[in-house]
Amino acid sequence: MATVRLPGLIDAHVHLREPGYTHKEDFYTGTAAALAGGVTAVLDMPNTAPPTDTPERFAAKAALAAAKAVCDVGLFVGATTSELDAYLPIAHRACGLKIYVSETFGSLRIEDLGLLHRFFRTWAASGKWQAASGKWQVAGSESTLADPQSPVPDRRSPVAVHAEELMLPVCLNLSHLYGVHLHVVHVTRRSEIELIRRAKERGYPVTCEVTPHHLFLSSDDLSRLGTRGDMRPRLASPDDVTALWENLALVDIFATDHAPHTLAEKAQATPPPGVPGVETLLPLLLTAVHAGRLSLDDILLRCVENPMRIYGLPTQPDTFVDVDVDARYELSDARMRTKSGWTPFAGTPVFGRVEQVILRGRQVYDGERVLAEPGSGAVLFQSA
Ligand code: NCD
Ligand code: ZN
């Protein structure tokens, strides 16, 4: 048995479903599952019901998270066709702006080039909007500008896009044109990672993330998994998976896109796309370390350092995760803490059992039980 002490992991892409879909997950169950997986901070997506697209809805969601979360939570605002610029007054409280450009679950989708263009332009200018109010927030620390008219630093938080195929070059070019940091979530295809390579080589302000399911599963697994293997982007071909591994140096973040739906919903004629993942991130990646496909540093770079840098997250003092990296077991639905109660990796043998999690000096998970009180997790960026 070899216990290794790691920093708390960050899952920069989760759907905790609150408000609106609490039969799938809520802020308590989703963050408790995170802790059991060695994750001490998550960034929550805006495709709830209602979506997180106005100051009122953002505040309501932040209050729910503050009351229930057991790990730290950052919240995205979402681009919607109905509310347009309504989110601007709270842009600085969000970890980023999420734009769904490709097919997804929920009501958020921007398909119109004019609108897409508008969101990039407005996000680029949102720093100036904050300057006009005399406040500027970078990397979690607020500073008051002596002269609200003085130049402001570029916004740190990115526009995160779900942009597949032809929509990817559109978004890459908009980010270049407006000087907006673009973070491309769940990259899956060879053509997409190669475009990102080209954009990075040309100095475009772009970063990207890949999910464990797109690294460890492919379209070859679909017949075995059935609708449990249905998510957006869809599982790609083995050649696409090979391309992701070949281009790992370009992948800034591993994030799960934890997108829980119940098994009853997955059994419907038209099942919603998405798979849970927040608690299987670490064992899957540690298993790749055992197989010699990744190093521990590869994990820490993409699950701690880069998410902190890209989203300007505050450090969590006295926070660590003890994991027995040699413990071997099988992932199973029964062991999952997500309210959805299943994993697409059921039956997969893995290495790496989380023995305890300490968050800000307190033991919040002891290897069996989540000990943290609901509301002990912090909602990030709310002080401004
Ligand atoms: C996500 C969900 O269920 O919210 N589903 C998915 O298949 N990834 C939506 C999304 O991230 O696009
Ligand atoms: Zn997602």
Side-chain angles (χ1 to χ4, degrees):
M1 169 173 136
T3 297
V4 172
R5 182 159 290 186
L6 304 176
L9 267 60
I10 296 161
D11 189 343
H13 188 152
V14 301
H15 299 262
L16 298 188
R17 303 299 193 205
E18 201 165 352
Y21 303 111
T22 50
H23 62 289
K24 301 174 196 272
E25 198 76 287
D26 63 46
F27 276 114
Y28 177 73
T29 56
T31 54
L35 287 181
V39 171
T40 54
V42 295
L43 303 183
D44 179 61
M45 287 295 168
N47 63 339
T48 42
T52 321
D53 58 354
T54 66
E56 296 72 28
R57 290 169 173 181
F58 189 90
K61 184 184 256 198
L64 289 167
K68 295 169 88 169
V70 288
C71 77
D72 293 356
V73 181
L75 302 173
F76 280 91
V77 284
T80 49
T81 51
S82 52
E83 299 295 342
L84 297 178
D85 305 334
Y87 68 87
L88 274 176
I90 42 86
H92 60 294
R93 296 189 181 197
C95 54
L97 172 68
K98 177 71 184 284
I99 311 183
Y100 291 87
V101 187
S102 300
E103 189 196 344
T104 183
F105 168 76
S107 63
L108 298 185
R109 178 104 187 248
I110 306 295
E111 292 173 282
D112 177 272
L113 180 60
L115 269 186
L116 201 53
H117 175 271
R118 176 190 178 127
F119 280 116
F120 276 86
R121 190 185 57 210
T122 317
W123 188 257
S126 68
K128 304 227 169 44
W129 189 93
Q130 290 160 49
S133 71
K135 299 270 177 77
W136 176 252
Q137 178 166 331
V138 179
S141 66
E142 179 188 296
S143 64
T144 304
L145 296 172
D147 170 15
Q149 301 310 315
S150 67
V152 294
D154 279 338
R155 240 199 106 72
R156 280 284 299 271
S157 55
V159 168
V161 288
H162 172 184
E164 298 181 44
E165 299 192 317
L166 275 175
M167 292 316 287
L168 178 59
V170 170
C171 289
L172 286 170
N173 280 310
L174 284 171
S175 102
H176 177 57
L177 288 169
Y178 285 104
V180 168
H181 176 171
L182 184 77
H183 181 69
V184 185
V185 301
H186 40 49
V187 176
T188 51
R189 296 179 181 86
R190 178 178 288 279
S191 55
E192 292 163 353
I193 195 74
E194 285 179 354
L195 261 185
I196 288 169
R197 171 183 293 285
R198 185 80 180 139
K200 285 191 170 192
E201 281 169 1
R202 296 187 74 102
Y204 283 30
V206 59
T207 52
C208 71
E209 92 195 17
V210 169
T211 69
H213 49 267
H214 291 116
L215 283 176
F216 299 117
L217 299 171
S218 75
S219 49
D220 284 356
D221 295 293
L222 275 172
S223 55
R224 175 175 64 83
L225 291 170
T227 58
R228 284 185 178 218
D230 182 36
M231 77 293 287
R232 299 294 174 275
R234 290 184 167 84
L235 290 177
S237 72
D239 178 63
D240 288 319
V241 176
T242 303
L244 296 181
W245 283 97
E246 282 171 1
N247 289 288
L248 218 51
L250 298 167
V251 175
D252 300 280
I253 291 182
F254 295 141
T256 66
D257 191 12
H258 176 76
H261 300 286
T262 66
L263 281 175
E265 289 167 332
K266 291 302 257 185
Q268 288 164 5
T270 333
V275 297
V278 70
E279 55 202 305
T280 50
L281 170 73
L282 184 55
L284 289 168
L285 294 175
L286 287 173
T287 306
V289 173
H290 260 269
R293 303 182 82 188
L294 287 177
S295 70
L296 209 47
D297 282 349
D298 284 329
I299 300 179
L300 297 182
L301 180 68
R302 292 170 180 82
C303 296
V304 183
E305 289 165 44
N306 283 343
M308 290 188 70
R309 182 176 58 82
I310 288 168
Y311 289 103
L313 305 178
T315 52
Q316 297 173 309
D318 299 321
T319 297
F320 56 84
V321 174
D322 284 338
V323 52
D324 178 353
V325 292
D326 292 328
R328 193 158 193 269
Y329 59 101
E330 231 176 55
L331 294 173
S332 69
D333 291 351
R335 291 179 59 93
M336 293 297 120
R337 276 167 196 275
T338 166
K339 204 184 276 187
S340 59
W342 62 280
T343 165
F345 292 100
T348 304
V350 289
F351 288 98
R353 192 186 295 282
V354 176
E355 295 179 316
Q356 69 162 350
V357 179
I358 307 290
L359 176 57
R360 284 182 283 273
R362 287 192 50 223
Q363 191 187 43
V364 287
Y365 178 67
D366 68 0
E368 293 286 332
R369 293 163 303 156
V370 172
L371 305 168
E373 290 299 313
S376 56
V379 186
L380 305 175
F381 303 125
Q382 301 311 296
S383 58

